[in-house]
């Protein structure tokens, strides 16, 4: 008998990106992301403005995802959406839209945990991209989260460690802000870091027990470092920008890699996958590639478009849940906090 194709329309609206994607089984047909530029003026995401922008973006983004995929909404098998964690007002836009559309089309609704999706993005089928075998360790590094997760199976995950204060993406963005770079500063800091000397300015690394992280101390030491040097030389930041960025990035990557090494030691698992916006960082990508040679790890880094927030990662979870018949009903509520 011919196998029936499953078409999932996925919606992601947990923070400041409105995204819709269509998947056919494990393959992505389209993945449209509308990034909200409005927050740049404020140096960070303004929740109320984010929900309003989602309201404006969601219909055109969904239309575009369907037309790029060349799929009519009548062909859809189910609708998957981000239930949490995230900003409540933002989540509500995606959830309400998904509920109404599923009801209108009379197809199942599937709720997805955003952090699980960052991990399961590795299972979107892409030519030439290998998927991690179970069990593996996943490090999710984004603007809102920093976690090391033991992944035994698609839906059997255990958090081994997480940040006690700022997320690593926040550490990048806040450091960049102290250097006068616009929001979000992470990608810019990365760009300048590639031109500088990582050993130019040593910054302390925090002493945190176990597999947990802390980044707030680093932020404070960068603040004092900037204040002290700018007082002596008002041109200090412009004259040394590349070296400062390289030194900050070197310190952050050192913190991440030390915890990963500890997690490998504790679990004996050398299959390492990363996910979340900070996986786009050149420093972590290089460090992981080197670990394959020096530590014998196998590393898995998602394609660029699946690193930052996107609906294709919600779609792959939707597909996996569809296969299990894990549907949700119309009474489902969004969750600002939602553990994996
Ligand atoms: O996963 P994501 O798109 O959104 C959240 O769920 O938080 O991650 C966004 C974060 C931002 O903090 C951004 O500055 C950071 O990822 N980021 C980077 C890079 N690209 C994005 N940080 C460092 N280097 C990069 N290349
Ligand atoms: Zn995210």
């Amino acid at each position: 008998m011919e196998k029936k194709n499953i078409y999932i329309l996925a919606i992601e609206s947990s923070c400041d990106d409105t995204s819709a994607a269509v998947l056919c089984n494990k393959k992505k047909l389209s993945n449209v992301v509308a990034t909200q530029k409005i927050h740049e003026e404020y140096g960070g995401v303004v929740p109320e403005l984010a929900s309003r922008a989602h309201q404006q973006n969601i219909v055109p983004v969904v239309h575009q995802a369907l037309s790029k995929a060349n799929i009519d909404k009548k062909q859809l098998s189910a609708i998957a959406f981000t239930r949490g964690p995230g900003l409540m007002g933002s989540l509500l836009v995606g959830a309400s839209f998904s509920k109404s559309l599923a009801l209108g089309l009379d197809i199942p609704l599937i709720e997805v945990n955003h952090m699980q999706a960052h991990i399961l993005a590795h299972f979107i089928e892409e030519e030439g991209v290998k998927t991690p075998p179970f069990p593996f360790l996943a490090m999710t590094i984004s603007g809102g989260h920093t976690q090391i997760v033991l992944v035994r199976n698609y839906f059997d995950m255990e958090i081994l460690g997480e940040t006690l204060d700022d997320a690593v993406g926040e550490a990048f963005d806040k450091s960049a802000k102290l250097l006068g770079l616009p929001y979000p500063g992470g990608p810019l800091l990365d760009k300048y870091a590639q031109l500088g000397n990582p050993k130019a300015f040593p910054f302390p690394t925090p002493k945190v027990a176990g597999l947990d992280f802390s980044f707030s101390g680093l932020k404070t030491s960068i603040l004092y470092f900037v204040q002290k040097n700018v007082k002596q030389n008002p041109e200090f930041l412009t004259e040394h920008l590349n070296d400062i960025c390289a030194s900050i990035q070197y310190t952050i990557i050192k913190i991440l890699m030390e915890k990963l090494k500890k997690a490998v030691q504790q679990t004996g698992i050398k299959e390492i996958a990363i996910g979340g916006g900070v996986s786009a960082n050149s420093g972590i990508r290089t460090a992981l590639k080197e670990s394959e040679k020096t530590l014998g790890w196998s590393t898995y880094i998602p394609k660029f478009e699946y690193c930052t927030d996107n609906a294709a990662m919600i779609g792959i979870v939707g597909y996996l849940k569809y296969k299990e018949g894990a549907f949700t009903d119309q009474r489902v509520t969004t969750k600002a906090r939602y553990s994996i």
Side-chain angles (χ1 to χ4, degrees):
M1 205 177 80
E2 204 188 323
K3 221 174 109 197
K4 193 173 161 265
N5 279 331
I6 311 295
Y7 293 100
I8 305 282
L9 170 69
I11 313 276
E12 153 64 31
S13 71
S14 65
C15 190
D16 60 339
D17 293 311
T18 319
S19 181
V22 178
L23 267 74
C24 174
N25 305 324
K26 289 183 173 178
K27 283 206 165 67
K28 173 209 68 176
L29 300 182
S30 63
N31 187 26
V32 178
V33 184
T35 303
Q36 304 176 0
K37 294 273 172 227
I38 180 99
H39 308 288
E40 285 172 14
E41 290 170 38
Y42 299 90
V45 178
V46 184
E48 175 62 23
L49 295 179
S51 357
R52 290 179 193 207
H54 283 306
Q55 290 272 24
Q56 288 174 340
N57 292 343
I58 195 141
V59 172
V61 163
V62 168
H63 269 299
Q64 220 179 321
L66 287 168
S67 77
K68 274 196 174 174
N70 207 10
I71 289 291
D72 187 274
K73 54 184 183 308
K74 293 196 184 74
Q75 288 171 269
L76 294 172
S77 316
I79 297 182
F81 72 98
T82 307
R83 183 181 182 193
L87 301 170
M88 192 47 103
S90 293
L91 290 166
L92 277 170
V93 177
S96 318
F97 180 90
S98 305
K99 282 186 190 186
S100 327
L101 191 57
L103 198 64
L105 294 172
D106 195 22
I107 53 175
L109 185 65
I110 300 168
E111 57 98 358
V112 174
N113 179 305
H114 180 92
M115 296 312 293
Q116 271 189 355
H118 270 304
I119 295 173
L120 297 176
H122 285 275
F123 296 92
I124 300 171
E125 254 173 33
E126 287 281 336
E127 208 141 308
V129 179
K130 52 183 183 148
T131 53
F134 297 117
F136 64 90
L137 294 175
M139 185 167 72
T140 38
I141 39 181
S142 73
H145 299 269
T146 306
Q147 294 181 330
I148 295 183
V149 180
L150 167 60
V151 187
R152 298 190 189 89
N153 212 323
Y154 295 129
F155 300 108
D156 182 1
M157 301 184 184
E158 183 188 339
I159 299 170
L160 301 181
E162 60 191 330
T163 185
L164 304 175
D165 40 57
D166 290 349
V168 63
E170 267 181 292
F172 270 107
D173 295 340
K174 287 179 179 172
S175 307
K177 198 171 178 179
L178 291 173
L179 305 180
L181 301 175
Y183 175 85
L188 276 177
L189 195 146
D190 183 11
K191 191 176 128 195
Y192 296 123
Q194 291 174 55
L195 306 169
N197 171 11
K199 304 272 176 71
F201 303 105
F203 291 107
T205 51
K207 307 268 172 293
V208 184
L211 296 176
D212 288 333
F213 299 88
S214 167
F215 291 101
S216 63
L218 176 65
K219 184 180 62 194
T220 311
S221 65
I222 294 168
L223 172 69
Y224 291 151
F225 166 85
V226 170
Q227 284 176 342
K228 189 178 110 210
N229 284 288
V230 169
K231 208 169 165 190
Q232 286 165 3
N233 169 15
E235 298 307 314
F236 178 75
L237 290 182
T238 28
E239 283 172 13
H240 299 279
L241 187 62
N242 295 343
D243 284 348
I244 305 170
C245 288
S247 304
I248 295 172
Q249 181 151 311
Y250 172 81
T251 311
I252 294 177
I253 303 308
K254 194 168 146 198
I255 297 171
L256 295 177
M257 289 303 289
E258 274 172 9
K259 291 292 174 172
L260 263 182
K261 281 179 199 161
K262 214 166 170 181
V264 170
Q265 246 172 22
Q266 270 185 29
T267 59
I269 297 169
K270 289 187 174 185
E271 308 286 337
I272 315 291
I274 57 168
V278 181
S279 335
N281 182 266
S282 65
I284 190 72
R285 287 178 171 243
T286 308
L288 284 178
K289 279 286 147 234
E290 276 170 9
S291 75
E292 298 210 333
K293 283 183 237 131
T294 55
L295 302 166
W297 295 359
S298 296
T299 64
Y300 304 85
I301 305 175
K303 256 182 81 179
F304 220 69
E305 75 167 297
Y306 304 138
C307 285
T308 44
D309 288 349
N310 69 88
M313 70 181 194
I314 305 302
I316 188 70
V317 184
Y319 170 77
L320 295 167
K321 285 194 163 183
Y322 186 97
K323 297 291 280 178
E324 291 191 359
F327 304 130
T328 184
D329 72 36
Q330 288 281 335
R331 282 167 300 184
V332 64
T333 52
T334 46
K335 286 170 86 103
R337 287 168 171 273
Y338 190 12
S339 188
I340 55 175

